[in-house]
Amino acid sequence: MSLTDPGDGHVLGTTRFSDWMKGAIVHVEHLERPRHLPREKIESYRIPSILDFSRVRLHVGSSAPTTYFVGRVVKDSGNFQDDFLKVVNLTAAAASAAFFLGAAECKVSMEGLSTAQSMSYMKALRAQVQRSKKQFLSAAWNLNQVLHDDFDHKEPVELSKRMEIAMRAIEITSLGGFDKVTWDGASDTYPIQVHHVPADLRGSIDHRARGTPAWTGNILLGGLQVQRDPPRGVRRRRWYRYWWRTGTTLHGLRDRHARALHGGEHPPHIGQS
């Protein structure tokens, strides 16, 4: 189970007790959409500060894996082919820096790319990123956005069903040489509404992934940083301590989601305590 925060919440909350990190992955990611802009204008999830990531790594140590979110392709001219060199070098540098600091995994979003573009992007990154064999590159795919599938097709196909996108994502990620598939179930709304893959389809997806070098992994919980801004006149550190002592905690959501998966309880929505 991944617990997500851009940094301060992990330093002041997640890492305060070692028990809170048992069975958890400490994921560092900036979660915010200013002025409720649509995803085509700005990412819901963005690359966090490398300085904040280094502080989180210092606090986590060897207690849990720490992962880093790189995000989607940076647009310069807006033409993928023209921007390819800069995009690959920039993303590879960011991922390499996180790996040097001890990241177990870097998540790279394929949002906005076709399947052929995604494969070229992953192959180039795999060649450029500096890491050890124990550090993974993960491809993140959104299941609620239409996927333009133009790889190995005479005519491009538009995939809109979540199951189709999930299955194709596994195949493309494997061919691209990445180690792991991550699915994003968030919609284009704010606050974010999460649409999960139906339980009866998860087995088919996991079975498909086992037949490829790429594999599927954990559930990610996050989005609470937007609810942690302190009221006017309250110091941020004091507010964080209050926030983590009350029910709206990431480790509490983690435990409730685990019970939901095994006991039939409905998991809480992101942002609910």
Side-chain angles (χ1 to χ4, degrees):
M1 189 77 73
S2 285
L3 308 181
T4 305
D5 191 271
D8 285 349
H10 286 320
V11 171
L12 298 173
T14 307
T15 59
R16 287 191 67 191
F17 302 102
S18 58
D19 285 347
W20 288 3
M21 290 184 283
K22 287 183 179 178
I25 296 172
V26 180
H27 183 57
V28 183
E29 177 179 316
H30 192 91
L31 295 144
E32 182 186 19
R33 195 184 299 179
R35 304 187 305 279
H36 300 186
L37 292 171
R39 288 179 71 137
E40 65 179 19
K41 297 291 185 181
I42 193 169
E43 287 181 283
S44 301
Y45 326 119
R46 285 177 282 164
I47 188 169
S49 161
I50 195 68
L51 178 60
D52 287 341
F53 179 76
S54 66
R55 288 170 176 161
V56 173
R57 278 289 303 130
L58 179 64
H59 280 254
V60 173
S62 60
S63 298
T66 310
T67 56
Y68 188 74
F69 185 79
V70 178
R72 68 187 184 189
V73 169
V74 175
K75 295 180 180 179
D76 193 358
S77 70
N79 183 290
F80 180 74
Q81 293 301 123
D82 293 342
D83 294 344
F84 190 74
L85 178 66
K86 176 179 179 180
V87 165
V88 169
N89 290 344
L90 189 63
T91 307
S96 297
F99 282 135
F100 286 152
L101 290 171
E105 174 189 337
C106 282
K107 299 181 189 294
V108 182
S109 175
M110 299 298 126
E111 184 178 335
L113 300 179
S114 69
T115 53
Q117 290 174 337
S118 297
M119 189 177 302
S120 299
Y121 187 40
M122 284 187 279
K123 286 183 176 180
L125 285 176
R126 187 170 181 263
Q128 291 289 329
V129 174
Q130 299 181 53
R131 57 184 176 133
S132 73
K133 294 181 179 179
K134 295 182 179 180
Q135 294 173 309
F136 298 150
L137 282 169
S138 173
W141 302 80
N142 188 282
L143 298 179
N144 297 309
Q145 292 184 343
V146 174
L147 177 63
H148 186 72
D149 187 7
D150 58 350
F151 176 76
D152 201 23
H153 289 298
K154 291 183 179 179
E155 295 293 334
V157 178
E158 301 290 330
L159 303 180
S160 57
K161 295 182 179 179
R162 294 174 195 152
M163 187 65 174
E164 292 177 340
I165 296 172
M167 290 297 194
R168 190 59 167 159
I170 294 172
E171 187 176 359
I172 297 300
T173 301
S174 177
L175 293 172
F178 268 34
D179 309 291
K180 184 180 174 183
V181 182
T182 302
W183 290 301
D184 174 13
S187 63
D188 191 13
T189 58
Y190 197 88
I192 295 170
Q193 298 295 320
V194 179
H195 302 283
H196 298 285
V197 177
D200 58 336
L201 300 182
R202 292 176 195 156
S204 300
I205 292 173
D206 289 339
H207 178 74
R208 177 67 173 270
R210 291 190 189 102
T212 70
W215 56 283
T216 59
N218 48 288
I219 296 173
L220 185 146
L221 296 177
L224 296 180
Q225 77 183 63
V226 295
Q227 295 188 335
R228 288 194 278 99
D229 290 333
R232 184 173 299 179
V234 178
R235 291 185 178 180
R236 184 173 293 272
R237 183 176 293 271
R238 180 176 295 178
W239 178 247
Y240 278 178
R241 288 174 179 171
Y242 164 79
W243 187 85
W244 280 93
R245 282 199 300 266
T246 56
T248 312
T249 60
L250 287 175
H251 68 280
L253 287 175
R254 175 198 65 188
D255 295 340
R256 290 173 62 181
H257 270 272
R259 290 196 301 270
L261 290 175
H262 297 287
E265 175 188 336
H266 291 292
H269 295 292
I270 300 300
Q272 283 188 335
S273 59

